[in-house]
Every structure is written in structure tokens, then in C-alpha cells.
Amino acid sequence: MRDLLQHLWTHYHYVIYIALMLIGLYAVLAKGNLVKKVIGLNLLQTAVFLFYLSIGHKTGGTVPVLWEGKPDAIPYENPLPHVLMLTAIVVGVSITAVALALIVRIKAAYGTVEEGEILALDEADGQGGS
Amino acid sequence: MTQHLPVLVIVVPLLTALIVPLVERVRRGSAWYLVTGALLFSTYAAIQMLVQVSSGPIEGSIRYALGAWSAPMGIEYVVDRVNGIVLTMVAVVGLISAVWMRPSLKMEIREQARGSYYTVFLLCCVGFMGMTITGDIFNLYVFLEIASITSYVLIAMGKRRQALYAGYSYLIVGSIGATFILLGIGHLYMRTGVLSMADIVALFEANPELFEKSDVRVAFAFFTVGLAMKMALFPLHGWQPSAYTQAPSAASLFIAATSTKVSAYVFYRISFSVFGIQFLESALPVIRDGLLVMAAAAIVLGPLLAIRQNNLKRLLAYSSVGQIGYIMLGVVLLNMDGVTGGLIHFWNHAAAKGALFCVAGALVYRTGSARIADLAGMGRTAPWTATVLTISGCSMIGVPLTAGFLSKWYLGAGALAADRWMIVPVLLASSIFTAIYVWRLLSLVWFAPKEAVPAVTKEVPWAMRGPALVLAAGCLVFGLSSISVSIARDAARALGLGS
């Protein structure tokens, strides 16, 4: 038990990322409001960003720019996860943009952004059809 | 130029996609020629590269370092025997649906929106081809997101308001899946420190003790769940039926014939070329058994759920759920015959499902909806389309002399070789259920009472009939000739499976 607690304490960044991820997943799955689902999705993605950044971190690490007197790679933070997350953030923004655009259109077409009400309206329209 | 084909196959449609809206603005209707031209080039390049790797040694591949930055630093594109099959499938289906979609879009998409439709469609093709050709796992994620975001948009462009909600649901599920894949990549990077697939698998081969590490196993679990969501593997297929039903017919044709299968291919690639066969054989029997159960459930329940549908597109969507099960069965069986069966099914299913969605699109084109009851009497008024439905339907059942028979034959043989004889009755049951829904369609088409007035009054234009006939002919050619089998067999050998 002591070992486990110590392990969690020294690896607190994993605890944070998993907690954030679960909160995000919960929001996506349990919330009925379409906008809240998108917020949950953003939380989920942010958790992954933090996970990546934390695996590139070193205690006492510094900016990966060549400093005088520090010619080897040891004192620098790993820049690669940061670069990867730059791409992933752009992807996340695009997904959010598409999702919000769809929500605007859904609101115009159905008059609501609540999942339950949309499904009820579809039910009333009758299933099937093209 | 030939040495640059691996990058041109991506770059040409990518750049064309960017100028398409401008061209469409200058001259309405001219963008279609550009789209078709770009995909014609990609098809040529894909076939050229498949021929080139097929004539080389078994393990041979074409490697292309982007910007001349070689593998550990830069991104590498790789074409080998396995992804040559998938790349050709995506390019050919893309070209065929581009030709097919012009009359269909006139009915289903507003004129002002057509330019953007072409752009999104081309970007979608780029995404799927990129997922296939890349040799870098992070680049794979980027292309996966390109393909996914464009698919959400294509689906949401359907005519009815349900399309918006179908696109949104797919966006939520797809993004969760993609985030899981990103986490898988992160865990893998944490342990290995490289992103190139070739480097990772070399590292694993040199240090098999890494397979015992929990982060490597967690990475594989994340990849499996994420990709299962993207490929709509039972029971994670919830988004798929309404997405295929509500999308414009042209989009459902392309997406149904390629998207879930490209995700299934990525699972092949991750399993064989990133983790390696050793990992699959030894490390996680639980995941293999679990996937076997999921694939078997998909194979039986997909066609079973299809039987009771009233909408042709929805019926075909449920049948796709079953077909993905076949492809996943191949990788789970992990022997020569099983993987061969899985790999030929990429082509066979693309031809059959593509042809069937052409028929569904023709039905929408003539009647405005995809109600199955409207097929009645189509055999008299539209004999060509009815013939396409007959041939591709037989291929779905697995009637001998059609392509579907070969897939099932090899998968059955693979199941017996792997001592999983329980799979054989599963395959037979699936064929029976498929026969039931195909017969329901065919009896309406050919044997409707004479006095009933058919809803489909006449044949669709040749621009739609031609591509459908090409796909239907594909079902027969792949069934009668051994060309696809020999290509798939060599590909299975290249994956490291003994004969």
C-alpha cells in the first residue's frame, strides 16, 4: 500500500492525465447536451496533450536550444512530444470547429441541442427513409 | 518521375483539392474534370507501384524519404505488397465513385455546395491513401484525422436533417477512437523513443523482453479499441448504420467501400509491422481470443440484423458490419490461409459493397429514397442495375465462381488450420443469413407481380451504370481468376507467415 502510494505520488502526472481523461469520457458519454459533449471531447484531448508533454519532461530540463557549454542532449527537454502535440492541438481545434458548425446546423434544423429531444423528433419522423 | 510516385500519389489529389473550389467558382461544373483527373493519376500511380513491388522480391518495398530526410529523423512512405493492395483499392474505388457521382450529386447536393463537396471528397481520398502509404505512426494519426474529419463532413452533407445528427454522432465516436490511437502512439513512443514503424519493429525483434512491459501492452490495447471504433467492429458499430444511411449516395458509396477497411488495414499494419507476429503469438492471448469472439459475433449478427431493415442503405450498412468481421478474422487466425482470406477480402468486399451502393444510389436517383419496397419490378425497367445487384449479391453470399466465395474458402481453411473449427459453422450461418436478405432483394427485383407499377421507371444514365458494371465485373474477375489470390498470398508471406 505504501509502495503504491509512493508510486502514485512520484508519478502524479499520470494520475492527473487519467483523471482528466475519465472526466472527459464521462462528459462525452453521459451528457445529453451536444455542446457539453464537445467540451468533454476537448477535455479528453487535453488529457492526452498533458500526457505527451509530461513524458518529454526532465527534472531541471531546459529549452532545447543549443546553450554555450551544454553541447550534449542531457540538460534539454525532449522537444519531439511538444512538436507532436502542436499537430494534435491543430487537429483538436479542427474537430471542435467541425463539431460546433454541425451543432449550429442541428440547432437550426431541429430547434434543440439536446440529444434526447433530437432522437424523439427523429422517432416522430419515422425511421428508415434515405 | 517514377521514383517520386509514392509522394505524388498523395500530393497530386491534395493540391487539386485546394484549387477545386476556385475552378468551380470560375466555371460551374468544371471541377469534376479536375477531381477525376487527379484520381486517375493516383490510380495509375497505385497500380504502377503495386506492379513494381509484385515483380520484386517477396519482402521488397518501395521506400520514399520525404524531403530526403531519411527514416529516424524524417517521415518515410513505404509501399509493399500488403499496402499496395489497399492503396490500389482506395484509388480505384475513389476514381469509380468520382465518375459515378456526377449525375447523383445533381440530385442530392445544392449547386453552390458542389464545389466544396468535391474538395472534401478529394481530401477524404488523400486521407485514406495517406493512412495506407505512410511508414510513420504519428503521420498515420494525422492522415487518420484528415480522413475522419472529411468523412464527418461528407456524411453531414446528406439531404435530410438526420444527416447532421448522423455526422455529429460519428464525429464523437470517431474522435474518441482517434484519441485512443494517439494514446497508443504515446505509450509506444514512451517505451521505444522512435516513431518509424520499421525502427519500432526492429527494436521489438531485438528485445522480445519489451513485450512483458505493461506500457507496451497498454499501447496495443489502446490501438485495438481505437481502431475497433473506427472500423465499426461489433459491438462498437453503433455510429455506422445511420452514417451510411443519411450520407449522400455518392459519399456512402466511397465511405462504405473504403473507410472501415482502411482502419482494418491499419490494424493489420500495427499488428504485423509495429508489434510483430511474436507479440501477437505470445503476449496477449486474451486480446486475440476477445477479437476472435468479436469478429465471429460481427460475422453472424451483421447479416442477421440486416434481414429486418426496410432501407436498402441501412441494410447494406449492417451487412458491412459483418464483412469487417471477415477481415478481422484473418488477422486473428494468424496463419497463411486466414491472412490470405482477410487480404483478398479487401478487394472482394470493395467490389461487391461498392456495386451494391451503386444500386442503392440508383434507387435514390430514381425514386428519391432508398426504400427496399421500391425495388419491386426493377428487373423489367432497369435490367442493367438489376444485374449488378444480382452479381454483387451473389458475391456477398459467397456463391462459387464469385469473389466472395474465395474469401470464405480461405478463411474457413485458415480456421481449420488454426484448430478453430467453431468458425466454420459461423461462416456458414453468416452465408445463410446473407442469402436470406439478398434473396429478399432479388425476389422483389425479378419476381414482382406483373400488374404492379415499378417505382424505378427507367435505367439510370450510363455515367452511373458504367462504374456499377465495372465493380460487378470485378466480383466475377476476382472470383474466376487467381490473380487476387496470388497477390494476397505473396502479401501474407511478406508479413512473415510461413506457407
Side-chain angles (χ1 to χ4, degrees):
Chain A
M1 190 64 200
R2 226 187 117 88
D3 286 352
L4 180 70
L5 281 178
Q6 184 145 26
H7 188 76
L8 289 180
W9 177 249
T10 47
H11 294 80
Y12 66 92
H13 55 282
Y14 292 141
V15 179
I16 295 175
Y17 120 73
I18 290 168
L20 269 179
M21 190 175 123
L22 291 181
I23 296 170
L25 265 180
Y26 173 78
V28 175
L29 298 177
K31 292 291 170 189
N33 186 308
L34 301 189
V35 182
K36 287 183 185 166
K37 274 176 187 281
V38 175
I39 294 173
L41 203 60
N42 282 339
L43 257 178
L44 179 64
Q45 285 165 339
T46 311
V48 178
F49 302 158
L50 288 179
F51 163 69
Y52 265 82
L53 298 189
S54 70
I55 63 175
H57 178 70
K58 282 176 193 163
T59 314
T62 176
V63 193
V65 179
L66 191 63
W67 296 87
E68 216 164 321
K70 292 180 178 175
D72 52 352
I74 293 161
Y76 300 119
E77 295 262 332
N78 184 354
L80 192 73
H82 293 247
V83 177
L84 299 183
M85 281 313 98
L86 202 62
T87 315
I89 288 169
V90 174
V91 169
V93 169
S94 334
I95 290 178
T96 311
V98 172
L100 293 177
L102 283 178
I103 292 173
V104 170
R105 294 280 309 275
I106 287 175
K107 170 80 178 163
Y110 286 89
T112 172
V113 290
E114 290 293 332
E115 194 170 38
E117 293 173 24
I118 292 171
L119 291 177
L121 283 170
D122 277 356
E123 201 72 40
D125 275 10
Q127 288 291 335
S130 130
Chain B
M1 184 176 113
T2 321
Q3 77 269 30
H4 292 297
L5 279 182
V7 70
L8 286 176
V9 71
I10 304 291
V11 167
V12 169
L14 180 65
L15 294 181
T16 314
L18 301 181
I19 56 172
V20 154
L22 296 175
V23 174
E24 182 74 5
R25 175 156 296 213
V26 175
R27 221 187 118 100
R28 279 271 155 80
S30 53
W32 177 82
Y33 295 96
L34 269 180
V35 173
T36 314
L39 287 170
L40 197 61
F41 174 80
S42 289
T43 308
Y44 157 76
I47 293 176
Q48 176 79 26
M49 287 188 288
L50 180 64
V51 170
Q52 198 181 326
V53 288
S54 301
S55 53
I58 289 279
E59 304 260 336
S61 57
I62 307 174
R63 293 180 173 270
Y64 187 90
L66 285 183
W69 289 88
S70 54
M73 295 297 145
I75 291 169
E76 203 179 33
Y77 281 179
V78 182
V79 182
D80 60 12
R81 284 167 185 267
V82 184
N83 66 4
I85 293 178
V86 185
L87 190 68
T88 323
M89 175 198 86
V90 177
V92 170
V93 173
L95 178 64
I96 287 178
S97 42
V99 174
W100 184 88
M101 73 188 174
R102 198 148 95 119
S104 168
L105 286 189
K106 284 198 179 121
M107 305 290 285
E108 294 187 38
I109 304 279
R110 283 179 301 119
E111 201 182 0
Q112 304 93 300
R114 256 173 249 157
S116 14
Y117 181 91
Y118 287 133
T119 309
V120 179
F121 169 73
L122 259 189
L123 286 176
C124 194
C125 296
V126 168
F128 285 127
M129 288 193 288
M131 280 166 79
T132 316
I133 204 172
T134 186
D136 177 286
I137 47 173
F138 195 79
N139 196 234
L140 170 74
Y141 167 75
V142 175
F143 274 121
L144 181 132
E145 286 289 23
I146 294 177
S148 308
I149 296 176
T150 47
S151 305
Y152 311 146
V153 175
L154 283 182
I155 288 164
M157 280 175 110
K159 232 167 153 183
R160 306 172 73 214
R161 64 178 182 180
Q162 279 88 337
L164 294 169
Y165 187 65
Y168 178 86
S169 317
Y170 181 24
L171 182 144
I172 294 292
V173 179
S175 302
I176 296 176
T179 309
F180 280 3
I181 293 167
L182 187 59
L183 270 173
I185 296 169
H187 282 91
L188 211 50
Y189 175 72
M190 194 162 81
R191 178 56 63 186
T192 61
V194 279
L195 291 169
S196 153
M197 293 179 187
D199 289 349
I200 297 176
V201 77
L203 209 71
F204 278 150
E205 269 166 12
N207 310 293
E209 75 276 4
L210 284 180
F211 292 149
E212 299 300 317
K213 302 282 184 196
S214 55
D215 43 9
V216 173
R217 296 177 164 202
V218 167
F220 190 74
F222 271 128
F223 275 120
T224 309
V225 177
L227 286 169
M229 286 168 123
K230 302 277 339 166
M231 73 175 95
L233 183 63
F234 185 87
L236 300 169
H237 65 283
W239 57 270
Q240 198 208 35
S242 47
Y244 285 9
T245 313
Q246 304 300 342
S249 304
S252 13
L253 164 59
F254 178 69
I255 292 176
T258 56
S259 84
T260 53
K261 282 204 292 303
V262 174
S263 298
Y265 154 76
V266 172
F267 189 76
Y268 271 74
R269 180 100 303 185
I270 295 287
S271 310
F272 287 106
S273 314
V274 175
F275 286 87
I277 292 184
Q278 269 179 305
F279 178 78
L280 294 178
E281 278 172 344
S282 61
L284 284 174
V286 183
I287 286 202
R288 252 183 93 191
D289 290 345
L291 280 175
L292 185 73
V293 172
M294 281 161 84
I299 290 172
V300 177
L301 293 175
L304 190 61
L305 288 167
I307 292 175
R308 44 179 285 251
Q309 302 303 323
N310 293 320
N311 180 299
L312 183 54
K313 280 179 167 179
R314 198 172 275 273
L315 180 150
L316 296 177
Y318 276 110
S319 107
S320 282
V321 172
Q323 303 291 319
I324 275 300
Y326 289 122
I327 293 181
M328 288 306 288
L329 186 61
V331 71
V332 179
L333 290 176
L334 210 62
N335 58 28
M336 189 67 195
D337 284 332
V339 173
T340 308
L343 287 172
I344 39 180
H345 207 56
F346 278 97
W347 275 356
N348 296 349
H349 179 247
K353 191 48 62 67
L356 285 168
F357 266 98
C358 283
V359 174
L363 186 63
V364 176
Y365 185 78
R366 280 292 173 227
T367 68
S369 85
R371 274 193 310 151
I372 288 178
D374 288 344
L375 283 172
M378 197 176 76
R380 272 173 283 143
T381 50
W384 288 104
T385 311
T387 310
V388 170
L389 177 65
T390 312
I391 294 172
S392 45
C394 289
S395 182
M396 295 296 288
I397 304 173
V399 175
L401 303 183
T402 59
F405 174 71
L406 288 178
S407 313
K408 293 195 186 185
W409 178 265
Y410 279 101
L411 284 170
L416 290 178
D419 238 2
R420 307 266 196 188
W421 58 269
M422 277 301 288
I423 291 299
V424 178
V426 165
L427 290 173
L428 286 177
S430 155
S431 282
I432 292 170
F433 295 142
T434 311
I436 292 174
Y437 72 72
V438 170
W439 176 250
R440 194 178 143 214
L441 303 179
L442 292 184
S443 65
L444 271 174
V445 167
W446 294 112
F447 305 116
K450 280 263 188 303
E451 55 273 21
V453 183
V456 180
T457 45
K458 58 177 198 274
E459 197 56 89
V460 288
W462 270 107
M464 294 169 82
R465 232 182 296 173
L469 284 169
V470 170
L471 287 168
C475 296
L476 291 177
V477 171
F478 293 143
L480 292 170
S481 78
S482 61
I483 176 159
S484 60
V485 176
S486 68
I487 290 178
R489 202 154 259 278
D490 286 343
R493 223 166 264 144
L495 285 174
L497 294 155
S499 54

